[in-house]
Amino acid sequence: MVLQHPGEVGRAGGSAGSVTEVVARAVAEESVPVLFLSDSTGISAETMGNALLIQFPDVHFERASVPFIDSPEQALSIVAELDAALDSGVTPLVFCTAADTGVRTALLTARAPVIDLFDMHMQRVEQILGRTGEREAMRLHGVGDIKRYNARMAAVEFTIEHDDGQSLRALDKADVILLAPSRCGKTPTSMYLALQHGFFVANYPLVDEDLELDKLPRPVEEYRERCFGLTTTVERLSRVRSERRRGSRYASSEQCRWELRRAATIYDRHRIPVIDSSEKSVEEMATLILQQHVRQVRAAARDGQ
Amino acid sequence: MVLQHPGEVGRAGGSAGSVTEVVARAVAEESVPVLFLSDSTGISAETMGNALLIQFPDVHFERASVPFIDSPEQALSIVAELDAALDSGVTPLVFCTAADTGVRTALLTARAPVIDLFDMHMQRVEQILGRTGEREAMRLHGVGDIKRYNARMAAVEFTIEHDDGQSLRALDKADVILLAPSRCGKTPTSMYLALQHGFFVANYPLVDEDLELDKLPRPVEEYRERCFGLTTTVERLSRVRSERRRGSRYASSEQCRWELRRAATIYDRHRIPVIDSSEKSVEEMATLILQQHVRQVRAAARDGQ
């Protein structure tokens, strides 16, 4: 990892004091301090750790991530901070995904409990595969392959260009087209699908002129089978729109109800699959769309055989 | 989870045959079949599982995700597919993050080895916190809080609007401004920061007219302390650009070398932190920027005290 100004975008510098700071914040907020420790980005530690923490909806957590721990020495300085917290009577919750054995071993010397999300599972994978893993901090995932990198970049760019009906230039290249009235969650869901799954996504806002008709809007008419309709509840849509334009007709319950009802009629008439964004995260909506897409591709492959 | 056309964007329908299919594909490709099983999106299983698999760079894996497993019955039908694979002489690698005890218990009846990423860690967290977790499939993370949802949406929208210097309207509201010559990775890194961290990101392409000067481009001049410069290698930039316009001056080594050298001079002169995208994933770059940002906010808070 080359850093032209190592003092600025450095790794080690980022962690000093992180633990102490989050512990102090947690004490002030009467919450539980949580640390995600890693020798790479820490994204796995955060994702997996948060999947566990969400099971405790009544507990308030203060989180901090310490990524790129790159030496046993740095690990030991974090251990010292963790143990100081413990000595002051606070038990931090620590998740660790260090792959490097030196770093991991150093982190596990903490007297504070450290939940190692890596090692035991690594041992099982090694056993099942019948070979040993590298056990190194992995820094290069995803960039080695220029074609794959370009494909992801192209997906993000396509999706930006085709956000909110701004461009209809290459709608025929879209993998997925999201339809919905304004503020139902089209844009973040589109970007998530592009960024995480390399999908070319277009999204098209259903405005009054579209909603007055029973037909699909002309530009998307011939791509019916790639369309997904998003909906939400009247109350939620009205609240979301009010954050933007309080007291407007746009945010009124009447207008929201009319738009959602008309959209539902259009989705139904054209057998467009519908996802209710009021009770789902962006990730959940993206996963549902992905599943459906896989199923369609599979069906098309079968038909083509 | 309400689905207007349950037959279309349904959950259970998505999994039937997934295991058998990925096993067949793996056999054809002489690779190892990998399954990510979950009662929610499966994102934790994929993230954590892939963090383990990346440690085996010489093994080729065929992956499939089976999300939203919502009953022991559905789990048992997956178990039947896993065991059929085992009986045919193929050992699939199975990662599971089911939180629901009924679903998890059913999945663990498989004779094929299932790596449970959830239960043991859950037990430790429960022990440390001194209370029991809900142990339910969590479907609602991230949407309950409208303010938070709107903030993320606003970040994505700001970042789309301020992509590639298209708009300079609200540059003063940017948390981070990425500078770089074309094709150094500004756009996906910006979108990742917006989507995953709620950052307002602007990115500004350094074109020939900017690169001919030693000054920072006028529009970003007053926001120097929010700027990050991206760079890459001449060879990589030339290859990435060639994918787009083969044989062009734009893709030539000479032009790429000149642009990167001039950009480096500008970054250096204005003490702008630099990140080399040639050896990092989008996630790694985003993590470095996040760390630096946290450090700056922390320093500003100290100065303000």
Side-chain angles (χ1 to χ4, degrees):
Chain A
M1 188 178 280
V2 179
L3 292 160
Q4 275 74 353
H5 292 301
E8 302 198 39
V9 192
R11 293 196 302 270
S15 62
S18 299
V19 176
T20 307
E21 193 178 278
V22 75
V23 168
R25 218 161 56 220
V27 168
E29 307 263 329
E30 300 191 4
S31 55
V32 177
V34 177
L35 273 302
F36 303 107
L37 309 181
S38 176
D39 52 2
S40 62
T41 60
I43 291 171
S44 312
E46 286 185 57
T47 306
M48 194 61 227
N50 281 321
L52 294 163
L53 299 185
I54 200 177
Q55 297 288 328
F56 301 87
D58 301 331
V59 182
H60 185 236
F61 298 102
E62 279 292 329
R63 299 164 168 87
S65 192
V66 185
F68 302 127
I69 302 171
D70 60 1
S71 68
E73 292 68 37
Q74 202 197 336
L76 288 175
S77 83
I78 291 160
V79 166
E81 289 186 62
L82 291 172
D83 286 346
L86 199 69
D87 290 339
S88 75
V90 178
T91 304
L93 202 48
V94 187
F95 297 100
C96 160
T97 52
D100 181 273
T101 306
V103 169
R104 200 183 55 255
T105 310
L107 289 174
L108 292 173
T109 63
R111 281 180 289 116
V114 175
I115 299 180
D116 182 348
L117 299 169
F118 183 87
D119 189 50
M120 195 187 34
H121 303 310
M122 190 65 200
Q123 289 180 30
R124 291 240 18 225
V125 174
E126 287 178 330
Q127 182 196 328
I128 294 167
L129 293 179
R131 58 166 84 198
T132 53
E134 305 268 308
R135 291 174 173 270
E136 280 175 10
M138 287 297 182
R139 295 270 152 77
L140 292 177
H141 49 288
V143 283
D145 180 345
I146 287 195
K147 276 214 189 319
R148 191 179 162 276
Y149 182 76
N150 269 346
R152 188 182 190 183
M153 208 136 152
V156 170
E157 286 170 346
F158 179 95
T159 302
I160 290 174
E161 183 185 339
H162 293 82
D163 181 50
D164 207 31
Q166 276 178 63
S167 162
L168 306 166
R169 187 180 63 80
L171 223 48
D172 58 311
K173 293 207 176 58
D175 294 307
V176 159
I177 301 170
L178 303 186
L179 307 178
S182 163
R183 303 278 105 185
C184 288
K186 292 186 301 296
T187 294
T189 308
S190 300
M191 288 313 314
Y192 188 90
L193 281 165
L195 200 55
Q196 300 292 358
H197 299 293
F199 272 37
F200 281 47
V201 187
N203 74 68
Y204 186 90
L206 296 173
V207 297
D208 285 8
E209 297 79 69
D210 301 312
L211 293 166
E212 277 155 10
L213 306 174
D214 287 341
K215 295 192 300 188
L216 276 180
R218 179 72 62 86
V220 302
E221 210 171 11
E222 59 177 311
Y223 307 113
R224 191 198 62 81
E225 72 293 344
R226 305 184 201 175
C227 289
F228 287 79
L230 303 191
T231 190
T232 182
T233 62
V234 172
E235 193 226 342
R236 188 178 163 90
L237 185 59
S238 173
R239 280 172 62 200
V240 170
R241 288 183 173 185
S242 292
E243 292 265 326
R244 205 176 225 207
R245 290 192 231 150
R246 192 165 303 280
S248 63
R249 172 171 168 280
Y250 166 79
S252 70
S253 294
E254 298 66 42
Q255 175 67 16
C256 293
R257 182 172 301 112
W258 180 78
E259 291 187 29
L260 292 173
R261 195 179 286 160
R262 287 297 308 152
T265 303
I266 294 174
Y267 301 152
D268 189 57
R269 175 162 309 217
H270 301 280
R271 300 290 302 157
I272 288 172
V274 181
I275 297 178
D276 184 342
S277 68
S278 70
E279 35 173 42
K280 289 185 200 63
S281 66
V282 166
E283 289 80 357
E284 287 170 327
M285 292 196 280
T287 303
L288 286 169
I289 291 167
L290 184 68
Q291 268 192 297
Q292 171 74 0
H293 182 79
V294 167
R295 215 172 306 147
Q296 283 169 343
V297 169
R298 209 189 281 169
R302 263 199 308 269
D303 292 349
Q305 271 170 0
Chain B
M1 188 178 279
V2 179
L3 292 161
Q4 275 73 354
H5 292 301
E8 301 198 39
V9 193
R11 293 197 302 270
S15 61
S18 299
V19 176
T20 307
E21 193 178 277
V22 76
V23 168
R25 219 162 56 221
V27 169
E29 308 263 329
E30 300 191 5
S31 56
V32 177
V34 177
L35 274 302
F36 304 107
L37 309 181
S38 175
D39 52 1
S40 62
T41 61
I43 291 170
S44 312
E46 286 185 57
T47 306
M48 194 60 227
N50 281 321
L52 294 163
L53 299 185
I54 201 177
Q55 297 288 329
F56 300 88
D58 301 330
V59 182
H60 185 237
F61 299 102
E62 279 292 328
R63 299 164 168 86
S65 192
V66 185
F68 302 127
I69 302 171
D70 61 0
S71 68
E73 292 68 37
Q74 202 198 337
L76 289 175
S77 82
I78 291 160
V79 167
E81 290 186 62
L82 291 172
D83 286 346
L86 199 69
D87 291 339
S88 75
V90 179
T91 305
L93 202 47
V94 186
F95 297 99
C96 160
T97 52
D100 181 274
T101 306
V103 169
R104 200 183 54 255
T105 309
L107 290 174
L108 291 173
T109 62
R111 281 180 287 115
V114 175
I115 299 180
D116 183 348
L117 298 169
F118 183 86
D119 189 51
M120 197 188 31
H121 303 310
M122 190 64 200
Q123 289 180 29
R124 288 228 38 213
V125 174
E126 287 177 331
Q127 182 196 328
I128 294 167
L129 293 179
R131 58 166 84 198
T132 53
E134 305 267 309
R135 292 175 172 268
E136 281 174 10
M138 287 297 182
R139 294 271 152 77
L140 292 177
H141 48 288
V143 283
D145 180 344
I146 287 195
K147 277 215 189 319
R148 191 179 162 276
Y149 183 75
N150 269 347
R152 188 181 190 183
M153 209 136 152
V156 170
E157 286 171 346
F158 179 95
T159 303
I160 289 174
E161 184 186 339
H162 293 81
D163 181 49
D164 207 30
Q166 276 178 63
S167 162
L168 306 166
R169 187 180 62 80
L171 223 47
D172 58 311
K173 293 206 176 59
D175 294 307
V176 159
I177 301 170
L178 303 186
L179 308 178
S182 164
R183 303 278 104 184
C184 288
K186 292 187 301 296
T187 294
T189 308
S190 300
M191 288 313 314
Y192 188 89
L193 281 164
L195 200 54
Q196 300 292 358
H197 299 293
F199 271 36
F200 281 47
V201 187
N203 74 68
Y204 186 91
L206 296 174
V207 297
D208 285 8
E209 297 79 71
D210 301 312
L211 293 166
E212 277 155 10
L213 306 175
D214 287 341
K215 295 192 300 187
L216 275 180
R218 178 73 63 86
V220 302
E221 210 171 11
E222 59 177 310
Y223 307 113
R224 191 198 62 81
E225 72 293 344
R226 305 184 201 175
C227 290
F228 287 80
L230 303 191
T231 191
T232 183
T233 62
V234 172
E235 193 225 342
R236 188 177 163 89
L237 185 58
S238 173
R239 279 172 63 200
V240 170
R241 288 183 172 185
S242 292
E243 292 264 326
R244 205 176 224 206
R245 290 192 230 149
R246 193 165 303 280
S248 63
R249 172 170 168 279
Y250 166 78
S252 69
S253 294
E254 298 67 42
Q255 176 67 16
C256 292
R257 182 172 300 111
W258 180 78
E259 291 187 29
L260 292 173
R261 195 178 287 160
R262 287 298 308 152
T265 303
I266 294 174
Y267 302 152
D268 189 57
R269 175 163 308 218
H270 300 280
R271 301 287 303 157
I272 289 173
V274 181
I275 297 179
D276 184 343
S277 68
S278 70
E279 37 172 41
K280 288 184 200 65
S281 65
V282 166
E283 290 79 358
E284 287 169 327
M285 292 196 280
T287 303
L288 286 169
I289 290 166
L290 184 68
Q291 268 192 298
Q292 171 74 0
H293 182 79
V294 167
R295 215 171 306 147
Q296 283 169 342
V297 169
R298 210 189 279 168
R302 263 198 308 269
D303 292 348
Q305 271 171 1

Short mmCIF file of all heavy atoms in Angstrom, two decimals, chain B residues 150-172:
data_model
loop_
_atom_site.label_atom_id
_atom_site.label_comp_id
_atom_site.label_asym_id
_atom_site.label_seq_id
_atom_site.Cartn_x
_atom_site.Cartn_y
_atom_site.Cartn_z
N ASN B 150 -33.80 9.06 5.02
CA ASN B 150 -33.73 10.25 4.18
C ASN B 150 -32.30 10.77 4.05
O ASN B 150 -31.91 11.26 2.99
CB ASN B 150 -34.61 11.36 4.78
CG ASN B 150 -36.02 11.30 4.22
OD1 ASN B 150 -36.27 10.61 3.23
ND2 ASN B 150 -36.93 12.02 4.83
N ALA B 151 -31.52 10.66 5.13
CA ALA B 151 -30.15 11.15 5.08
C ALA B 151 -29.34 10.34 4.07
O ALA B 151 -28.56 10.89 3.29
CB ALA B 151 -29.52 11.06 6.47
N ARG B 152 -29.56 9.03 4.07
CA ARG B 152 -28.83 8.17 3.14
C ARG B 152 -29.25 8.48 1.70
O ARG B 152 -28.43 8.57 0.79
CB ARG B 152 -29.16 6.71 3.48
CG ARG B 152 -28.36 5.69 2.73
CD ARG B 152 -28.82 4.30 3.16
NE ARG B 152 -27.94 3.27 2.66
CZ ARG B 152 -28.15 1.97 2.83
NH1 ARG B 152 -29.18 1.55 3.52
NH2 ARG B 152 -27.33 1.09 2.33
N MET B 153 -30.55 8.64 1.52
CA MET B 153 -31.09 8.98 0.20
C MET B 153 -30.50 10.32 -0.26
O MET B 153 -30.10 10.46 -1.42
CB MET B 153 -32.60 9.13 0.35
CG MET B 153 -33.36 8.82 -0.88
SD MET B 153 -34.77 7.80 -0.35
CE MET B 153 -35.95 8.17 -1.58
N ALA B 154 -30.45 11.28 0.65
CA ALA B 154 -29.93 12.60 0.31
C ALA B 154 -28.46 12.50 -0.08
O ALA B 154 -28.00 13.16 -1.02
CB ALA B 154 -30.10 13.56 1.49
N ALA B 155 -27.71 11.64 0.62
CA ALA B 155 -26.29 11.47 0.31
C ALA B 155 -26.11 10.89 -1.09
O ALA B 155 -25.28 11.36 -1.87
CB ALA B 155 -25.63 10.57 1.35
N VAL B 156 -26.92 9.89 -1.41
CA VAL B 156 -26.82 9.27 -2.74
C VAL B 156 -27.19 10.30 -3.81
O VAL B 156 -26.51 10.43 -4.83
CB VAL B 156 -27.72 8.01 -2.84
CG1 VAL B 156 -27.80 7.51 -4.27
CG2 VAL B 156 -27.18 6.92 -1.93
N GLU B 157 -28.24 11.06 -3.56
CA GLU B 157 -28.66 12.04 -4.55
C GLU B 157 -27.64 13.17 -4.73
O GLU B 157 -27.36 13.58 -5.85
CB GLU B 157 -30.04 12.60 -4.17
CG GLU B 157 -31.11 11.55 -4.45
CD GLU B 157 -32.48 11.91 -3.91
OE1 GLU B 157 -32.57 12.84 -3.08
OE2 GLU B 157 -33.44 11.24 -4.30
N PHE B 158 -27.09 13.63 -3.62
CA PHE B 158 -26.05 14.66 -3.71
C PHE B 158 -24.88 14.14 -4.54
O PHE B 158 -24.34 14.84 -5.40
CB PHE B 158 -25.56 15.02 -2.30
CG PHE B 158 -24.47 16.06 -2.27
CD1 PHE B 158 -24.77 17.40 -2.09
CD2 PHE B 158 -23.13 15.69 -2.44
CE1 PHE B 158 -23.76 18.36 -2.09
CE2 PHE B 158 -22.12 16.65 -2.43
CZ PHE B 158 -22.44 17.99 -2.26
N THR B 159 -24.51 12.91 -4.27
CA THR B 159 -23.33 12.33 -4.92
C THR B 159 -23.57 12.10 -6.40
O THR B 159 -22.67 12.30 -7.23
CB THR B 159 -22.92 11.05 -4.16
OG1 THR B 159 -22.69 11.41 -2.80
CG2 THR B 159 -21.67 10.42 -4.74
N ILE B 160 -24.79 11.71 -6.76
CA ILE B 160 -25.11 11.58 -8.19
C ILE B 160 -25.04 12.96 -8.85
O ILE B 160 -24.45 13.12 -9.91
CB ILE B 160 -26.53 10.97 -8.37
CG1 ILE B 160 -26.51 9.49 -7.97
CG2 ILE B 160 -27.01 11.14 -9.81
CD1 ILE B 160 -27.89 8.83 -7.98
N GLU B 161 -25.61 13.95 -8.18
CA GLU B 161 -25.63 15.29 -8.77
C GLU B 161 -24.22 15.84 -8.94
O GLU B 161 -23.94 16.55 -9.90
CB GLU B 161 -26.47 16.24 -7.88
CG GLU B 161 -26.60 17.63 -8.49
CD GLU B 161 -27.30 18.62 -7.56
OE1 GLU B 161 -28.02 18.19 -6.64
OE2 GLU B 161 -27.10 19.84 -7.76
N HIS B 162 -23.34 15.51 -7.99
CA HIS B 162 -21.99 16.07 -8.02
C HIS B 162 -20.96 15.09 -8.56
O HIS B 162 -19.79 15.17 -8.24
CB HIS B 162 -21.60 16.57 -6.63
CG HIS B 162 -22.41 17.75 -6.19
ND1 HIS B 162 -23.67 17.61 -5.65
CD2 HIS B 162 -22.18 19.08 -6.26
CE1 HIS B 162 -24.16 18.81 -5.38
NE2 HIS B 162 -23.29 19.72 -5.74
N ASP B 163 -21.44 14.15 -9.39
CA ASP B 163 -20.52 13.19 -10.00
C ASP B 163 -19.80 13.84 -11.18
O ASP B 163 -20.42 14.55 -11.97
CB ASP B 163 -21.30 11.96 -10.48
CG ASP B 163 -20.38 10.92 -11.12
OD1 ASP B 163 -19.35 10.59 -10.49
OD2 ASP B 163 -20.67 10.46 -12.23
N ASP B 164 -18.51 13.60 -11.26
CA ASP B 164 -17.73 13.98 -12.43
C ASP B 164 -17.81 15.47 -12.74
O ASP B 164 -17.82 15.87 -13.91
CB ASP B 164 -18.23 13.16 -13.64
CG ASP B 164 -17.11 12.98 -14.66
OD1 ASP B 164 -15.94 12.93 -14.26
OD2 ASP B 164 -17.42 12.90 -15.86
N GLY B 165 -17.89 16.28 -11.69
CA GLY B 165 -17.90 17.72 -11.88
C GLY B 165 -19.14 18.26 -12.58
O GLY B 165 -19.19 19.42 -12.97
N GLN B 166 -20.15 17.40 -12.75
CA GLN B 166 -21.37 17.80 -13.47
C GLN B 166 -22.03 19.02 -12.87
O GLN B 166 -22.56 19.86 -13.56
CB GLN B 166 -22.41 16.68 -13.41
CG GLN B 166 -22.24 15.62 -14.45
CD GLN B 166 -23.30 14.55 -14.23
OE1 GLN B 166 -24.49 14.80 -14.34
NE2 GLN B 166 -22.86 13.35 -13.90
N SER B 167 -22.06 19.04 -11.54
CA SER B 167 -22.65 20.18 -10.87
C SER B 167 -21.69 20.63 -9.79
O SER B 167 -21.01 19.82 -9.17
CB SER B 167 -23.99 19.79 -10.24
OG SER B 167 -24.35 20.75 -9.27
N LEU B 168 -21.62 21.94 -9.58
CA LEU B 168 -20.80 22.47 -8.50
C LEU B 168 -21.70 23.23 -7.55
O LEU B 168 -21.26 23.98 -6.70
CB LEU B 168 -19.72 23.39 -9.08
CG LEU B 168 -18.87 22.75 -10.18
CD1 LEU B 168 -18.08 23.80 -10.94
CD2 LEU B 168 -17.93 21.71 -9.59
N ARG B 169 -23.00 22.99 -7.70
CA ARG B 169 -24.03 23.75 -7.02
C ARG B 169 -23.79 23.86 -5.51
O ARG B 169 -23.82 24.95 -4.95
CB ARG B 169 -25.39 23.09 -7.27
CG ARG B 169 -26.58 23.86 -6.74
CD ARG B 169 -27.89 23.12 -7.04
NE ARG B 169 -27.97 21.82 -6.40
CZ ARG B 169 -28.31 21.63 -5.12
NH1 ARG B 169 -28.59 22.66 -4.35
NH2 ARG B 169 -28.37 20.41 -4.62
N ALA B 170 -23.58 22.71 -4.88
CA ALA B 170 -23.56 22.72 -3.42
C ALA B 170 -22.27 22.12 -2.90
O ALA B 170 -22.25 21.37 -1.93
CB ALA B 170 -24.77 21.95 -2.90
N LEU B 171 -21.17 22.49 -3.55
CA LEU B 171 -19.87 21.95 -3.17
C LEU B 171 -19.55 22.24 -1.71
O LEU B 171 -18.86 21.46 -1.04
CB LEU B 171 -18.80 22.57 -4.07
CG LEU B 171 -17.72 21.66 -4.63
CD1 LEU B 171 -18.29 20.39 -5.22
CD2 LEU B 171 -16.89 22.39 -5.66
N ASP B 172 -20.08 23.32 -1.20
CA ASP B 172 -19.83 23.68 0.20
C ASP B 172 -20.46 22.67 1.16
O ASP B 172 -20.09 22.61 2.32
CB ASP B 172 -20.36 25.09 0.49
CG ASP B 172 -21.85 25.20 0.20
OD1 ASP B 172 -22.28 24.79 -0.91
OD2 ASP B 172 -22.60 25.68 1.07
#
